[in-house]
Amino acid sequence: MTRIDRQFARLKAVGKKAFVTYIMAGDPDLDTSLAVMKGLPAAGVDIIELGMPFTDPMADGPTIQLAGQRALDGGQTLARTLAMAAEFRKTDQTTPIVLMGYYNPIYSRGVDRFLQEALAAGVDGLIVVDLPPEEDDELCLPAQAAGLNFIRLATPTTDAKRLPKVLTNTSGFVYYVSITGITGAGAAAAGDVGPEVARIKAATDLPVIVGFGITTPDAAAAIAGVADGCVVGSAIVKEIGAGKPVQEVLALVERLAVGAHSA
């Protein structure tokens, strides 16, 4: 079992939903993003998605695009992102880390080298949004053979014909994108999400976690109530981008976690 598998088993045993957060590595600088990351578990975060900044983030809205640009302008690299994970692991051996981003930086580094370094840094899973199931030989299968979960996205346009392909070779959890379009572009509605989550769960034993469009504790509670948990990214990244102190950012995270865990 990976840390991700163990975390979901632990949450299930106590009847809690998962609260997952996304931050961009190196935003607005390495020290600040590491301080936020280190504070997330105590604020109630069950799984951390750590963004790998990239110059052409096609699935991301302006908030996360700007975060990636700030990180790149500050000198953040894939090597620094892996080092950030390794530093986090010095004081936390249990909270799962999922690297989220695009394939180009991984390909440029070399898949074998990247997987070895990710494992050594204590990374548990990958979400690579621009690698479809047809490209599983590129990264998905090597990652799973190395012991990393490969988490796939399902969307409102993933129909009954496509869903089995999406679920093939997926592990850890399924990330359901609650709205069509880019991150930060709309609000998730539990009434719309619930039937879609049920459809996915009928086809897999994996937990289904819902992201995109969740910005408040009430929304986190509502979405977690119809899924196995929720992801909040843009709302947190926006606070970081506004220059809020680390403790203010973590206070927001704590409020969102209370909402998610109340479901």
Side-chain angles (χ1 to χ4, degrees):
M1 293 179 75
T2 65
R3 284 188 187 91
I4 295 170
D5 299 327
R6 289 195 294 270
Q7 186 73 302
F8 279 112
R10 183 189 68 79
L11 289 166
K12 185 176 181 179
V14 296
K16 286 176 70 174
K17 302 297 181 75
F19 180 55
V20 184
T21 54
Y22 170 97
I23 61 169
M24 180 67 73
D27 174 39
D29 55 68
L30 183 60
D31 289 345
T32 302
S33 62
L34 181 58
V36 172
M37 185 182 184
K38 286 184 173 181
L40 292 175
V45 174
D46 300 304
I47 298 173
I48 297 169
E49 290 179 4
L50 186 62
M52 301 178 284
F54 179 51
T55 52
D56 188 23
M58 58 186 179
D60 295 313
T63 297
I64 291 178
Q65 284 188 25
L66 288 169
Q69 195 58 56
R70 287 191 298 268
L72 292 169
D73 289 347
Q76 189 72 8
T77 61
L78 182 53
R80 285 188 172 194
T81 300
L82 291 166
M84 189 173 160
E87 186 65 28
F88 175 86
R89 278 283 169 252
K90 290 180 180 179
T91 55
D92 188 315
Q93 286 293 319
T94 58
T95 306
I97 300 171
V98 176
L99 294 183
M100 185 171 185
Y102 300 84
Y103 185 45
N104 185 279
I106 296 170
Y107 177 80
S108 298
R109 196 160 187 82
V111 168
D112 290 344
R113 177 186 180 188
F114 167 76
L115 292 175
Q116 290 172 1
E117 292 175 341
L119 282 167
V123 171
D124 305 290
L126 304 174
I127 300 174
V128 182
V129 299
D130 56 347
L131 272 184
E134 288 76 12
E135 305 294 336
D136 274 358
D137 289 344
E138 286 282 327
L139 180 63
C140 172
L141 295 180
Q144 304 218 92
L148 291 170
N149 289 128
F150 198 88
I151 296 140
R152 193 87 67 192
L153 304 181
T155 74
T157 60
T158 305
D159 60 18
K161 183 178 178 181
R162 182 64 175 167
L163 184 60
K165 188 71 173 176
V166 169
L167 295 175
T168 300
N169 298 323
T170 299
S171 64
F173 60 92
V174 178
Y175 188 133
Y176 179 69
V177 176
S178 64
I179 55 176
T180 55
I182 54 177
T183 57
D192 296 330
V193 169
E196 290 298 294
V197 170
R199 180 171 68 91
I200 296 167
K201 289 183 72 65
T204 181
D205 292 330
L206 292 171
V208 179
I209 305 300
V210 177
F212 286 48
I214 302 165
T215 60
T216 66
D218 286 347
I223 295 298
V226 298
D228 295 303
C230 66
V231 185
V232 179
S234 293
I236 297 165
V237 172
K238 189 175 290 186
E239 293 291 287
I240 295 170
K244 296 293 180 67
V246 170
Q247 289 309 313
E248 283 191 32
V249 174
L250 293 175
L252 169 64
V253 172
E254 189 167 2
R255 292 193 296 273
L256 291 161
V258 168
H261 288 147
S262 70

